[in-house]
Structure formats: structure tokens, C-alpha cells
């Protein structure tokens, strides 16, 4: 009898101990790993760092509110150095070694095209938040592929090219010169401009190419000047676009310059100086505090990184928003399974408040671009800052623009 009682007491104490252990906090939930890849060194680093730092702020904000599915987001960052081969290696590492459930980033179109096929094969969503090559979201479209795992929340090149041409024509220009860098980004953008001009029955008076790190654009500019060009449409990134502005000043040649979005990079402003004033470019985001979410984002960015402006505002804002879009999809899917996240992105039920806009059904199965033309404005370089180029856009800065239907 005594042994039975002891056994009973022992069992009771054991059960009590187990119950007590169960009441104690369990080990922290495994993090949800999301890759963040971009150029954090080299000529494109202002875009990459701004994007990465925006993504960091978003992840911190989400984690502070409890994470997603009760799990914290862990950003796994990798520098792709703006090199196609490095981007491809990084993609394979993030997928095979780090086991990411999605990846954000890609600043350079060539890197995106070289790397995102690995995510497509692994059925893991990959989210372009800076790269703009039109082909990026079309690389794996139906009917050749059953599902497309490539998404984007930057303004793609067809959209930007159309805006640039329409702006030149609206200003009354008839002799258009095109200057574009020799990368995939520059040449694909140049093709989009020429196609758009062709549809309007306009032929550029000259089309010229330049290389990354070129510092003398005299030869290209002289050809444009001798052809009688009355406006320059330039497709490239900050440092080289700045050399075009400097080259025009050196020649004493004053015609308007309309560029792709990277003239908003700090490198353009630093290198061009006063010669950059008046240059305009399409932008999804201008550093203003008209909306509460935008105001909070800017103040937190400045405070966290000890700056008074974002090196590349568009990249920072789009990097921030992309994390919230992926998080919303994971929450809706109730899973970190790639196909389920993709399906959720294609049919997001809740609106996602970002700093570029509030995203309301930004994607469908046929359209993986979150940005439509009505959501993009023209920015202008003015004394070291990017401001609204048009008074109407400045007055409507606090208006949330809803996405239009798109064929891309």
C-alpha cells in the first residue's frame, strides 16, 4: 500500500512539474527568413543601400507588432555587387543554404534576369522592388509557364519610357535625342523609348550609347547637338546621367533633359551639382510628409541612419513597401509555402498601407506589377533635392492613387 501511495504521489508531482514547464515561455518561434539582395557596394550602392535600409525599417516595425503568424521576420542580406554572376550565386545560396521563403530586392535588371530563374524553379516568390526592366515580370509568363513567381513594385520601363516621351512631346519638342547606357537596363529602356516614339510616328534624330563609369560624354552630345536635338531623353543611372548634364554645361548647350528615374540618386546630385538643376524624371516617391505613414517612415529613416535625406528615395520607399506586401501575403496564406504565398499575392484581400501608396489588389495572376502609370509623377532636381516637377502633383501629394488595369 505504501509503495502504491508513493507511486501515486510521484506521478502527481511529475504531472505538476510538466504542467509548470508548459506554463513557462517556450523557445522563441523560428524566424521567417526573407532574402534581401542588392548592390551594397559599387556604383549602384546608393540604390541598394537605400532599398535595404527601407526593408530593415519595415521588418523592425512588423516584428515590433508581433511578427507574422507569431514568428519574427529575419532579413538575410546579401551583396550582389551589381554583377549578374554574383546575383545568380547569391540566389542559389539563399534558396539552398538559408532556406528563405521569399526574396526581396534586385536593383539591376541584368542581375534580376540572371538570378530570378532559380526562384522560379524552386517555386519561391521573388520580389523586385527597384529593377525596372519590362521583361522582368514577363520572363515566366503564361502560356509557357503555369505559374509566375516574379513580382514587382517599381515602375517598369515601358511605363517610364511612355512618360518620358509624352513629356517631351507635351513640351513641344520634335527633335529627340536618345542616350542610354550599354547595360541591359539602359538598352532595354532605349528599346522601349524607340518603340513608343515609333507608335507616334516619331524617329529620334540620334541614338547614342555610353558605358558605365564613362566620365566624358562629349562625343555623344556633339552628335546630338549637330543633329539639331531640342531635348535629350537619357536612360542610365546616377553617375553617368550626371556626366551628361556636366557635358552639356561644358559645351554651353542648353536643352531640356528628361531621364529615367535614377537621376534622383544622390550620386547624380553630388556629381552634377548645379548642372543637374531642372532635370526631370519619373518617380513613385518624393520625400514629403503629406501622409501620416510617409511622415513616420521618413522621420524613422532619418533618425535611424543619421541622415537628412534618403540617398535614393524611390529605392528606400519601395524596399520598405515590399516587405509589407510579402508579410501580408504570408499572413493571408497562413503559411510560408511558396505556392501559397504566390497565390495570396495574386489575390490580396486586405489593403496594404505603404509609403508609395496604399496597395489595393496590386497583383493578379496575369499582372505582377504593382505600379501603374497614374501612380507615378515627375520629380525635378532642384538645389540638391528632388521636388515635384508639376504644381498639380505637389497639390495632390496627399491623394492615394489607385492602380489602373495594366497589360504588363
Amino acid at each position: 500500500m505504501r509503495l502504491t501511495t508513493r507511486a501515486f504521489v510521484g506521478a502527481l508531482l511529475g504531472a505538476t512539474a510538466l504542467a509548470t514547464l508548459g506554463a513557462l515561455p517556450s523557445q522563441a518561434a523560428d524566424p521567417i527568413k526573407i532574402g534581401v539582395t542588392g548592390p551594397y557596394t559599387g556604383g549602384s550602392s546608393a540604390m541598394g543601400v537605400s532599398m535595404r535600409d527601407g526593408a530593415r525599417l519595415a521588418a523592425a516595425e512588423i516584428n515590433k507588432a508581433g511578427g507574422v503568424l507569431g514568428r519574427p521576420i529575419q532579413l538575410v542580406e546579401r551583396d550582389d555587387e551589381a554583377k549578374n554572376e554574383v546575383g545568380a550565386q547569391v540566389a542559389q545560396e539563399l534558396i539552398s543554404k538559408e532556406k528563405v521563403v521569399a526574396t526581396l530586392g534586385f536593383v539591376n535588371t541584368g542581375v534580376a534576369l540572371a538570378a530570378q530563374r532559380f526562384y522560379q524553379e524552386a517555386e519561391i516568390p521573388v520580389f523586385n522592388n527597384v529593377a525596372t526592366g519590362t521583361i522582368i515580370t514577363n520572363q515566366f509568363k503564361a502560356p509557357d509557364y503555369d505559374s509566375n513567381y516574379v513580382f514587382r513594385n517599381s515602375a517598369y520601363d515601358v511605363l517610364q519610357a511612355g512618360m518620358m516621351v509624352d513629356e517631351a512631346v507635351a513640351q513641344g519638342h520634335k527633335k529627340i535625342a536618345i542616350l542610354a547606357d550599354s547595360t541591359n537596363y539602359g538598352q532595354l529602356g532605349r528599346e522601349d523609348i524607340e518603340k513608343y516614339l515609333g507608335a507616334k510616328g516619331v524617329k529620334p534624330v540620334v541614338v547614342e550609347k555610353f558605358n558605365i563609369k564613362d566620365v566624358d560624354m562629349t562625343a555623344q552630345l556633339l552628335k546630338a547637338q549637330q543633329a539639331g536635338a531640342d531635348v535629350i531623353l537619357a536612360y542610365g543611372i546616377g553617375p553617368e546621367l550626371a556626366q551628361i548634364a556636366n557635358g552639356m554645361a561644358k559645351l554651353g548647350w542648353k536643352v531640356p533633359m528628361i531621364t529615367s528615374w535614377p537621376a534622383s540618386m544622390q550620386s547624380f546630385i553630388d556629381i552634377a551639382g548645379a548642372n543637374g538643376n531642372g532635370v526631370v524624371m519619373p518617380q513613385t516617391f518624393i520625400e514629403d510628409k503629406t501622409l501620416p505613414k510617409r511622415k513616420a517612415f521618413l522621420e524613422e529613416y532619418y533618425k535611424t541612419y543619421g541622415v537628412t535625406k534618403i540617398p535614393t528615395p524611390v529605392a528606400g520607399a519601395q524596399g520598405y513597401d515590399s516587405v509589407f506586401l510579402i508579410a501580408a501575403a504570408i499572413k493571408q496564406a497562413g503559411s510560408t509555402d511558396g505556392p501559397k504565398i504566390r497565390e495570396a499575392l495574386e489575390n490580396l484581400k486586405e489593403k496594404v498601407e505603404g509609403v508609395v501608396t496604399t496597395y489595393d489588389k496590386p497583383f493578379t495572376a496575369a499582372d505582377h506589377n504593382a505600379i501603374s502609370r497614374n501612380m507615378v509623377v515627375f520629380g525635378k532636381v532642384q538645389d540638391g533635392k528632388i521636388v515635384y516637377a508639376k504644381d498639380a502633383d505637389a497639390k495632390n501629394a496627399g491623394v492615394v492613387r489607385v492602380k489602373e488595369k495594366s497589360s504588363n
Side-chain angles (χ1 to χ4, degrees):
M1 184 70 179
R2 192 173 295 173
L3 289 173
T4 305
T5 302
R6 285 178 180 174
F8 173 76
V9 172
L12 182 63
L13 289 172
T16 304
L18 286 172
T20 302
L21 286 173
L24 292 173
S26 61
Q27 283 188 323
D30 290 337
I32 296 173
K33 288 187 174 184
I34 298 176
V36 183
T37 178
Y40 309 138
T41 54
S44 299
S45 61
M47 294 184 282
V49 168
S50 297
M51 176 275 295
R52 180 200 66 196
D53 289 351
R56 285 178 177 177
L57 291 181
E61 191 175 326
I62 291 168
N63 288 341
K64 187 177 180 180
V68 183
L69 305 181
R71 299 165 61 186
I73 290 175
Q74 178 184 340
L75 300 182
V76 184
E77 301 169 0
R78 292 292 184 273
D79 183 0
D80 62 34
E81 303 174 27
K83 296 176 181 176
N84 298 357
E85 66 278 9
V86 177
Q89 292 167 4
V90 164
Q92 294 173 79
E93 179 190 350
L94 289 173
I95 293 166
S96 301
K97 182 181 177 181
E98 297 294 344
K99 308 297 183 184
V100 297
V101 304
T103 282
L104 311 169
F106 293 133
V107 164
N108 307 89
T109 293
V111 176
L113 295 176
Q116 63 189 20
R117 61 189 176 90
F118 296 103
Y119 294 98
Q120 178 71 22
E121 291 168 2
E123 297 188 325
I124 295 173
V126 58
F127 213 102
N128 286 265
N129 51 30
V130 181
T132 60
T134 302
I135 192 176
I136 284 172
T137 46
N138 296 334
Q139 195 175 14
F140 306 111
K141 288 190 74 171
D144 297 326
Y145 295 86
D146 293 332
S147 302
N148 181 6
Y149 283 81
V150 181
F151 294 82
R152 169 164 51 198
N153 67 316
S154 58
Y156 53 95
D157 286 344
V158 162
L159 184 158
Q160 291 191 61
M163 288 185 69
M164 292 166 65
V165 170
D166 285 345
E167 180 65 13
V169 172
Q171 291 180 10
H173 301 296
K174 300 184 184 301
K175 294 186 176 183
I176 296 173
I178 302 174
L179 274 66
D181 73 35
S182 57
T183 67
N184 280 330
Y185 168 69
Q187 291 307 299
L188 289 170
R190 188 259 314 153
E191 287 179 12
D192 287 336
I193 290 175
E194 289 196 79
K195 286 177 184 176
Y196 200 86
L197 282 171
K200 289 180 169 292
V202 178
K203 185 176 181 180
V205 295
V206 69
V207 178
E208 285 293 311
K209 184 189 298 185
F210 55 88
N211 296 316
I212 297 295
K213 296 186 179 180
D214 280 357
V215 295
D216 186 357
M217 304 292 179
T218 304
Q220 295 94 326
L221 289 170
L222 281 174
K223 288 181 181 179
Q225 186 180 38
Q226 290 163 4
D230 57 8
V231 65
I232 289 179
L233 303 187
Y235 231 91
I237 62 173
E240 290 73 40
L241 293 176
Q243 297 299 352
I244 295 174
N246 288 341
M248 292 170 67
K250 187 166 67 174
L251 292 173
W253 184 38
K254 294 182 180 180
V255 296
M257 182 173 164
I258 303 171
T259 79
S260 51
W261 77 267
S264 61
M265 291 173 62
Q266 188 63 39
S267 57
F268 177 89
I269 291 169
D270 290 343
I271 295 170
N275 297 330
N277 281 341
V279 171
V280 300
M281 75 301 289
Q283 299 282 278
T284 59
F285 180 81
I286 302 287
E287 283 179 282
D288 70 67
K289 299 180 179 181
T290 51
L291 296 171
K293 181 85 170 181
R294 192 173 294 168
K295 181 176 185 291
F297 163 69
L298 289 172
E299 290 177 351
E300 188 63 24
Y301 194 105
Y302 301 154
K303 175 184 174 183
T304 301
Y305 303 113
V307 296
T308 56
K309 72 180 295 295
I310 303 175
T312 306
V314 164
Q318 290 168 178
Y320 178 87
D321 284 4
S322 66
V323 178
F324 279 95
L325 287 164
I326 285 286
I330 294 172
K331 178 183 176 183
Q332 180 175 307
S335 170
T336 56
D337 177 66
K340 290 181 180 178
I341 297 173
R342 173 189 56 76
E343 290 172 4
L345 280 169
E346 292 175 342
N347 186 31
L348 283 175
K349 300 185 187 311
E350 292 186 11
K351 294 179 181 179
V352 178
E353 185 181 10
V355 293
V356 170
T357 189
T358 294
Y359 302 87
D360 185 5
K361 299 191 181 303
F363 308 109
T364 65
D367 179 9
H368 282 195
N369 288 298
I371 303 298
S372 56
R373 181 162 170 168
N374 69 309
M375 299 163 74
V376 185
V377 300
F378 271 105
K380 179 178 67 174
V381 180
Q382 181 175 298
D383 299 328
K385 292 185 177 181
I386 307 299
V387 300
Y388 288 99
K390 299 179 184 296
D391 291 339
D393 288 329
K395 290 177 182 177
N396 295 321
V399 176
V400 175
R401 302 171 189 240
V402 180
K403 183 186 173 184
E404 297 174 324
K405 288 184 179 180
S406 171
S407 59
N408 287 286

